[in-house]
Amino acid sequence: MLSSQYSISKIKDIISATGVIVSENTVSVLLTDSRRITNAGEALFFALSGRRNGHEFIAEAYAAGVRNFVVKHGPEIKMPGANFLIVDDVLLALQKLAVFHRDSFKLQVIGITGSNGKTIVKEWLYQLMAADHNIVRNPKSYNSQIGVPLSLWQISDKNDLGIFEAGISTIGEMERLEAMIKPDIGILTHVGSAHDEGFESREQKILEKLILFKNCKLLIHNYDELINYTKDIPVKERFTWSQNFKEADLYVFSETIIAKNFYLRGRYKGSEIECLIPFLDKASFENAITCWATMLAMGYTPIEADKRIEHLTPVSMRLELKTGVNNCSIIDDSYNSDIQSLEIALNFLSQQNQHQKKTLILSDIFQSGLEEDILYDKVADMIKAKKIDKFIGVGEALFNRQQYFDVPEKYFFTDTTTLLKRMISLSFRDEDILIKGSRSFEFERVSRALVQKGHETVMEINLNTLLNNLNFYKSKLKPGVKLMAMVKAFSYGSGTFEVANMLQYNKVDYLAVAYVDEGVALRQGGITLPIMILNPEVSAFDKLEEYKLEPVIYSFGLFDDFIKYLQAAGLAKFPIHLKIDTGMRRLGFEDFEIESLCDLLEINNYVKVCSVFSHLVASEASQHDGFTLTQIQLFEKAYKQIEETLGYKVVKHLSNTAGITRWPNAQYDMVRLGIGLYGVDSAISEDETGLQPIASLKTSVSQVKKVLAGETVGYSRNGSLLKDGKIATVRIGYADGYLRAFGNGVGKMLIKGALAPTVGNISMDTCMIDVSGIDVSEGDEVIVFNNELKIQELATEIGTIPYEILTNISQRVKRVYFYE
C-alpha cells in the first residue's frame, strides 16, 4: 500500500522496536505478503504469523529487493544491508504504525460495520460524496485486523474525509479496529448471520460491533436493528431510519417499482420526501436507504440526496477470470479504477501463468486525491514493477502522459470507442489480459469484445472460497505435514489452470492428476509445482521426462516397462511414487508383493522413490473404522520395509480429504486433498462453517409457455402438469452434464428464490421446469446448484455422489472465476 514516507529510524521509534539500523532509508510501502511486492526499495515487510508464518518468506522478500523487515526474531542467515526491527507482536506493530499515521491527520472519518453491506455502503458513499470531498477509503473489503491498518496507511494531507469499514469474526477484535479508525460518524449496516459462529449469541455480536462507535459523535442505523439495545448504544446523537416505526428520523412508508427502480417515499423533519433507487434487489434496497439516511444526517438536502442516489452505479466486488478470444485469459475488472484496486488487480494478473505475455488495458483514474503527474508516475512505476508486456491506456490523462510508461508495447486512445475501432489491429493472442476501467469508460464493451462467446449456461468458481477451503484443511494439519492437491478430471470439473495457479500461488507442495496429458497441460499453463501422475501410460513415458512429471508405479508390469524406457533413454534416478493396495482393491502393490518389490528396488539405480502411499477406502464412515485401522497397519508395515531397503526416508501419505479431519494420526508426511478443496466433505457435518462449495451452476430461461393440465411435455410425452400452469425452457441439458436422471420432477432448480421441479425428460441441450405461480420472464437467471441448493442435494436426488455431478459438467459450459 502506497502512502507517505517515513524514515526507518522513525518507524523503529513508533513501534518501539529493538534491532540495529544498518542502512538508513525511507519507507512508503507496507507489505504483509512476499508474493505481492511493489516498490521494494521503499517497502517494509511485516513477518506476520497466521496460516503462513511470515518469517519463512523473509528470504523471498529480500531476494525481491526488500531491505526493511519487522520481525519477532532475526533471520537465520545473513542478509547484508537489511534492517530488522524486532518486536514481540508483529501484527500489533503494524497496527501501532497505522494509529500513528492516522493520528497525524485531521480529517472527518466515517466508520462502518455490520454483517452485510459494509463494502457496498462504503463504495456508494464514495460515489455520492466524491464531488464534495477528497476521500480515502479501504480498497475493496480490506476491513480486517490486517486490512484496516493497510487502508489507513493511504491517508494523505489532501484527504478531508475517510470512509473505513471494520469487519470482525469473533469477540475482542473491534477494540483494536476502533483504536485505529477512530470514527467521528458511525454507520451500522444490516446485522445478519455472517460470522455468527464466532460469537456465543447474536446479542454478543451486536454488542461487539457497537464498540466501533464508542467515541462517535453520531451513529446512523436502522431503527429496527437496535430497538432492543438502546441502553447499549454508546452514542448520544443518532440518526435512524425505518420502514416500520414512525418515530425514526427517516420513516420510509412507501415503496413502488417504477421502470426497474425502487421509488421510495418517506417522512423527514415533518415533510414528505422521495428517492429513486436504481436497483431492485433487497440487499441494494436496504444499503441504498442507509446511504440516503447518511446523506440527510450529514446535511445534504433531500432534493440533492435524491438526485445523487438516482445515479448510483453497481459496485463490482470481484475480479472475473474468463476465457478470451485467440487463447487469451481475461481478467475483467471493468467497473472501477483507483490506484489501490489497481495494485490488487495487478497482483492477481501476476499470479496467472497461462501465458507469458501480460497485458493491461487501463482507463484514466478519477478522484485519486493526487495530482495527475504524481498519480500516473506511480501507476507507471507499478506497471513496470509487475513487468507488463503490453499496455493500453484509454483517456485524455493517459494519452497526454505516454512518455511516463516504459513498456515493450504501448498504445494510447482518448476514448473507448476509438480503442474498439482499433481492436483488431492490436492482435490479442496468447495473453493474460487485465481490463481495469472507471465506469464512465464503459469497459464492459471492451470485455465483451475480448471474451470468448459461448453458452449462456455458466459455472461460476469462487477462488476466494477455494482458498478458504484450502486454509481450512491446512489448519487441521500437524506442523510440517505437506499437502498434495488433487486437480485431476479438470479439477473435479472446476477448471485446470485457474485452480492450479491459485494452489501454486498459495504454496501447496504437490499437485496430482490422473493422466500424463493433464500434467502436460498444467506445465504448458505455467505450473512449476511437482506433479504426480496417478495413471501413467507406457505410450506417454517420454512426456514424463520432457515435462518433469512424476509417475505412480503400482504394478510389476508397469515397473518393468518404465525401467526399460529409462534404460533406453539413458536416464537414472528418475522420481517415482509407489502405490500400495491396503484394501481399495483397485491399483497398487499388495502386502504379499512388498518383499519382491523391495528386491527390485535394491538392485535398481534407475529410479528414486519420492513417496510411498496408499488410499483409504472409507475414512469418512465410522462403521468402517476397524477396516481403516487395518489399512493403516498394512501401510506402515509396507513403507517401513521399503525405507529399510532403500536406505533413505521417503514421503509417506495415506489420508484423503475425509482422512485429514477424521484420522489426524494418519497424516504422516503429507496428505492428499481432493474434493474437500471444492467444498464437499462427507466426513464434515452440514453445520460445519469452515467449508463452503466453490462452484455455482447457472443457466437462463429461453422461453415461457402456458401448459394445460394433462398436456404432455418433452420427449416420449413423459411430462405433464396436474393443473393448468406454466413451464420455462432453460438452457441446460444432458450434454451440459445435467443428467437425464433429473427428469420428470426428480430435479429442481431455483428461480426467483423458488424451487421449480423439472417437467418431462431432460433433452440434450435444454429441459423444462414448472414455474406455475412464479413471475418468470425470458432471460431470467436459473440456479442449478449453489450454496443454497447444494450439490449434495442433487447427488442424493439421483442416488449418486457429488464427484459425479461435478465431473459431468461439460466443457462447453463456460467457467467464470471470481476473485475478491
Side-chain angles (χ1 to χ4, degrees):
M1 294 291 167
L2 301 167
S3 184
S4 304
Q5 290 188 335
Y6 285 78
S7 71
I8 190 66
S9 294
K10 178 69 173 177
I11 291 176
K12 180 184 176 184
D13 292 339
I14 293 169
I15 65 176
S16 304
T18 59
V20 178
I21 303 297
V22 299
S23 178
E24 189 62 65
N25 48 45
T26 56
V27 169
S28 64
V29 178
L30 304 186
L31 299 175
T32 61
D33 192 328
S34 62
R35 301 162 300 184
R36 300 177 178 182
I37 293 176
T38 57
N39 194 8
E42 294 187 2
L44 175 62
F45 180 81
F46 287 80
L48 298 170
S49 296
R51 290 193 179 105
R52 289 169 22 119
N53 183 350
H55 293 79
E56 296 176 3
F57 302 96
I58 289 173
E60 187 177 318
Y62 180 84
V66 178
R67 293 296 180 267
N68 302 299
F69 301 88
V70 178
V71 298
K72 195 168 183 177
H73 54 78
E76 296 179 358
I77 59 174
K78 290 186 177 181
M79 296 183 181
N83 299 312
F84 289 93
L85 307 185
I86 301 172
V87 295
D88 292 331
D89 186 328
V90 176
L91 175 59
L92 182 59
L94 172 64
Q95 294 174 344
K96 277 185 178 179
L97 182 58
V99 168
F100 182 91
H101 188 69
R102 157 74 178 91
D103 290 346
S104 300
F105 302 93
K106 293 192 179 299
L107 73 166
Q108 188 176 48
V109 172
I110 298 173
I112 305 173
T113 194
S115 300
N116 308 103
K118 298 184 293 294
T119 304
I120 298 297
V121 168
K122 177 199 69 188
E123 292 298 320
W124 278 351
L125 288 177
Y126 175 79
Q127 290 183 29
L128 294 167
M129 300 181 184
D132 311 311
H133 298 280
N134 191 308
I135 300 174
V136 58
R137 67 200 195 281
N138 316 66
K140 299 285 185 178
S141 54
Y142 273 45
N143 59 28
S144 66
Q145 299 290 318
I146 299 172
V148 166
L150 293 178
S151 301
L152 294 171
W153 184 249
Q154 301 171 84
I155 299 173
S156 75
D157 56 8
K158 296 185 181 298
N159 302 127
D160 64 336
L161 177 63
I163 308 177
F164 297 105
E165 57 175 295
I168 56 172
S169 57
T170 190
I171 195 77
E173 292 185 340
M174 191 60 85
E175 195 75 45
R176 281 190 173 190
L177 297 182
E178 191 280 332
M180 288 186 280
I181 297 172
K182 294 185 175 67
D184 306 295
I185 298 172
I187 298 174
L188 181 69
T189 63
H190 178 74
V191 179
S193 60
H195 300 297
D196 271 0
E197 66 277 5
F199 302 89
E200 293 178 1
S201 64
R202 182 67 59 86
E203 178 184 10
Q204 187 187 59
K205 181 168 74 171
I206 289 174
L207 293 176
E208 178 73 13
K209 289 184 179 295
L210 288 176
I211 291 173
L212 179 64
F213 312 126
K214 68 179 185 179
N215 293 305
C216 283
K217 299 172 184 174
L218 170 67
L219 173 62
I220 301 156
H221 66 92
N222 182 344
Y223 186 93
D224 309 39
E225 291 275 14
L226 299 181
I227 195 167
N228 296 320
Y229 297 89
T230 304
K231 62 180 177 58
D232 302 303
I233 298 173
V235 185
K236 290 183 179 179
E237 185 180 350
R238 294 188 288 151
F239 188 102
T240 60
W241 67 268
S242 178
Q243 291 181 273
N244 302 306
F245 295 94
K246 294 181 179 180
E247 55 265 42
D249 295 288
L250 173 61
Y251 172 50
V252 182
F253 62 82
S254 173
E255 59 179 80
T256 309
I257 295 176
I258 300 177
K260 296 186 177 181
N261 298 287
F262 267 123
Y263 171 63
L264 305 182
R265 294 164 63 202
R267 187 162 295 280
Y268 167 64
K269 290 186 174 180
S271 300
E272 186 176 310
I273 63 174
E274 61 183 8
C275 182
L276 194 67
I277 297 174
F279 307 98
L280 283 178
D281 62 286
K282 188 64 178 175
S284 294
F285 172 79
E286 186 168 330
N287 291 332
I289 294 179
T290 299
C291 292
W292 189 18
T294 301
M295 294 195 75
L296 295 173
M298 293 184 68
Y300 287 87
T301 67
I303 292 174
E304 184 63 25
D306 174 36
K307 177 183 175 182
R308 295 193 186 190
I309 289 172
E310 185 178 349
H311 293 94
L312 281 176
T313 57
V315 176
S316 175
M317 294 308 303
R318 53 194 189 180
L319 305 170
E320 298 182 10
L321 178 58
K322 307 173 182 177
T323 302
V325 298
N326 301 325
N327 196 37
C328 291
S329 295
I330 309 299
I331 302 170
D332 189 347
D333 194 11
S334 57
Y335 292 104
N336 65 83
S337 185
D338 57 70
I339 194 164
Q340 289 79 31
S341 64
L342 173 61
E343 183 180 354
I344 295 168
L346 284 171
N347 283 328
F348 186 66
L349 174 64
S350 68
Q351 292 179 34
Q352 306 311 309
N353 295 293
Q354 295 93 309
H355 310 291
Q356 289 187 346
K357 190 171 186 177
K358 307 295 181 189
T359 297
L360 170 63
I361 304 176
L362 178 70
S363 77
D364 284 351
I365 296 173
F366 300 131
Q367 299 165 332
S368 70
L370 298 172
E371 294 178 7
E372 286 195 337
D373 287 341
I374 296 173
L375 169 66
Y376 292 108
D377 187 52
K378 286 182 178 292
V379 170
D381 286 344
M382 290 169 64
I383 290 172
K384 185 175 182 179
K386 292 300 179 182
K387 299 179 180 178
I388 299 300
D389 302 289
K390 183 175 180 179
F391 176 63
I392 298 167
V394 182
E396 296 283 353
L398 282 166
F399 188 85
N400 293 330
R401 291 169 178 81
Q402 299 182 30
Q403 71 276 13
Y404 286 31
F405 296 89
D406 182 14
V407 182
E409 280 186 73
K410 57 183 181 180
Y411 308 90
F412 295 86
F413 305 94
T414 55
D415 55 68
T416 305
T417 299
T418 306
L419 164 62
L420 290 168
K421 288 179 181 177
R422 291 278 310 278
M423 193 73 81
I424 295 176
S425 66
L426 295 175
S427 303
F428 295 103
R429 183 174 296 278
D430 300 317
E431 302 170 39
D432 291 321
I433 304 171
L434 170 60
I435 303 173
K436 184 83 172 136
S438 300
R439 176 165 287 277
S440 60
F441 282 86
E442 298 180 332
F443 267 17
E444 62 268 25
R445 294 159 59 196
V446 179
S447 177
R448 284 197 296 269
L450 289 175
V451 171
Q452 191 177 75
K453 306 302 182 291
H455 197 359
E456 280 197 33
T457 299
V458 172
M459 188 162 164
E460 296 181 348
I461 312 295
N462 189 322
L463 295 176
N464 294 90
T465 303
L466 176 82
L467 177 56
N468 289 339
N469 291 342
L470 174 65
N471 287 330
F472 170 79
Y473 284 102
K474 280 185 175 181
S475 72
K476 305 292 183 183
L477 300 182
K478 296 178 180 180
V481 175
K482 298 178 183 294
L483 190 143
M484 174 184 283
M486 311 299 287
V487 291
K488 61 181 181 177
F490 197 57
S491 292
Y492 294 78
S494 298
T496 302
F497 311 130
E498 300 82 3
V499 169
N501 268 325
M502 196 69 170
L503 295 171
Q504 177 168 275
Y505 186 70
N506 286 283
K507 299 186 181 296
V508 302
D509 300 284
Y510 252 94
L511 298 179
V513 295
Y515 296 104
V516 171
D517 57 354
E518 293 177 306
V520 170
L522 288 175
R523 287 286 185 250
Q524 291 174 337
I527 300 302
T528 58
L529 285 172
I531 299 175
M532 186 175 82
I533 309 297
L534 293 165
N535 295 285
E537 306 99 324
V538 174
S539 59
F541 280 167
D542 58 325
K543 299 297 183 184
L544 296 172
E545 163 63 15
E546 182 180 355
Y547 291 95
K548 300 295 183 288
L549 306 172
E550 302 174 9
V552 168
I553 304 298
Y554 52 78
S555 70
F556 290 115
L558 182 61
F559 189 102
D560 289 342
D561 287 338
F562 192 55
I563 295 301
K564 290 176 183 176
Y565 166 76
L566 294 175
Q567 289 174 331
L571 300 173
K573 295 189 179 301
F574 199 95
I576 65 168
H577 302 263
L578 296 176
K579 184 166 188 180
I580 311 301
D581 183 0
T582 58
M584 179 69 78
R585 315 305 292 155
R586 187 171 61 183
L587 296 173
F589 295 98
E590 297 186 55
D591 181 53
F592 69 87
E593 296 178 312
I594 301 301
E595 190 171 337
S596 298
L597 174 62
C598 287
D599 290 341
L600 288 176
L601 293 172
E602 192 171 26
I603 62 172
N604 196 297
N605 196 40
Y606 291 99
V607 295
K608 177 177 176 58
V609 179
C610 294
S611 82
V612 175
F613 73 102
S614 187
H615 194 73
L616 295 176
V617 175
S619 54
E620 74 285 357
S622 59
Q623 66 267 33
H624 298 302
D625 283 354
F627 190 82
T628 300
L629 284 169
T630 300
Q631 284 195 274
I632 292 172
Q633 291 165 1
L634 288 172
F635 177 63
E636 291 191 349
K637 177 185 174 185
Y639 81 68
K640 287 176 180 176
Q641 283 183 259
I642 292 170
E643 281 191 333
E644 185 177 350
T645 298
L646 293 172
Y648 56 83
K649 295 291 185 182
V650 300
V651 173
K652 282 83 70 177
H653 47 113
L654 177 65
S655 284
N656 54 2
T657 290
I660 294 172
T661 52
R662 288 203 72 238
W663 295 91
N665 291 333
Q667 290 181 1
Y668 297 104
D669 303 311
M670 186 162 66
V671 297
R672 298 187 306 277
L673 180 56
I675 200 166
L677 187 61
Y678 310 98
V680 180
D681 187 344
S682 55
I684 292 178
S685 62
E686 288 189 9
D687 59 355
E688 171 63 70
T689 55
L691 199 63
Q692 294 293 328
I694 72 167
S696 299
L697 183 59
K698 300 179 179 181
T699 186
S700 60
V701 173
S702 52
Q703 192 174 22
V704 180
K705 291 180 180 288
K706 293 181 179 179
V707 176
L708 301 177
E711 188 176 359
T712 60
V713 176
Y715 280 118
S716 303
R717 304 188 68 193
N718 278 349
S720 63
L721 302 183
L722 295 176
K723 56 183 180 180
D724 294 354
K726 295 184 301 183
I727 62 166
T729 300
V730 297
R731 296 178 171 93
I732 190 169
Y734 59 77
D736 302 299
Y738 195 67
L739 304 175
R740 292 185 80 247
F742 286 116
N744 300 297
V746 174
K748 298 174 182 63
M749 301 183 193
L750 270 174
I751 181 166
K752 296 291 186 70
L755 281 175
T758 58
V759 181
N761 290 340
I762 306 298
S763 302
M764 180 180 289
D765 308 305
T766 59
C767 63
M768 283 69 78
I769 56 176
D770 181 359
V771 293
S772 304
I774 308 173
D775 182 18
V776 176
S777 304
E778 291 182 9
D780 282 348
E781 183 180 78
V782 181
I783 305 295
V784 182
F785 60 76
N786 64 359
N787 283 352
E788 186 177 348
L789 181 56
K790 296 184 183 296
I791 196 168
Q792 293 93 323
E793 297 173 31
L794 272 69
T796 301
E797 285 172 350
I798 62 170
T800 187
I801 57 176
Y803 291 78
E804 185 175 7
I805 303 293
L806 276 173
T807 56
N808 265 294
I809 306 302
S810 167
Q811 293 304 297
R812 79 175 185 180
V813 173
K814 183 167 60 177
R815 270 71 171 174
V816 176
Y817 301 85
F818 295 115
Y819 182 74
E820 295 182 3

